[in-house]
Amino acid sequence: MTGVPLDQLKETPGARPGETRDVRVKRLGMRSMRRGIKEMDIILHRYASDRLAHMNDDELDLYEALLGENDQDLYQWVSGQQEPPAHLTDMIEHIIRHTTTR
């Protein structure tokens, strides 16, 4: 999965029992655009729309773990105001690159 012990994550990522991949991608897409901070709604919804369908299960797990993080923290990480946790660094950098090339 993410290589991070589950007790260090704010929520346990993974498909729900009986959930198909398509349903999971749609669920994560909805969570991406209903965040609470408009800036993060826009950033994550665009990223999710372009990338979720192409992610493997491990990447979906990591993205779902990222969605469990606080919006204020996510915005600080994506905007470069703070360093993200080590287990999310690659994903945050990918989101930043996606945001700046769009």
Side-chain angles (χ1 to χ4, degrees):
M1 189 186 65
T2 63
V4 176
L6 291 178
D7 63 341
Q8 291 183 16
L9 299 175
K10 295 192 174 161
E11 68 179 57
T12 303
R16 306 296 185 252
E19 184 177 56
T20 65
R21 177 181 171 76
D22 186 50
V23 169
R24 183 178 187 200
V25 167
K26 287 178 183 178
R27 177 174 57 81
L28 295 177
M30 286 298 291
R31 288 189 62 199
S32 298
M33 68 177 170
R34 308 259 166 137
R35 300 294 308 164
I37 295 178
K38 190 64 175 172
E39 291 85 349
M40 290 313 302
D41 291 350
I42 294 167
I43 291 168
L44 292 179
H45 176 62
R46 287 178 178 171
Y47 180 78
S49 294
D50 290 347
R51 298 294 312 141
L52 285 182
H54 307 287
M55 289 182 177
N56 64 38
D57 288 342
D58 287 341
E59 291 168 326
L60 288 174
D61 286 347
L62 185 59
Y63 186 73
E64 189 165 2
L66 178 129
L67 291 178
E69 296 292 334
N70 181 294
D71 262 6
Q72 287 79 13
D73 293 336
L74 282 172
Y75 187 73
Q76 298 272 322
W77 302 335
V78 170
S79 65
Q81 296 175 40
Q82 287 185 6
E83 290 292 318
H87 68 282
L88 295 176
T89 299
D90 290 342
M91 178 72 65
I92 294 292
E93 288 175 0
H94 196 255
I95 292 169
I96 292 167
R97 281 192 307 276
H98 181 271
T99 302
T100 58
T101 59
R102 201 162 203 274

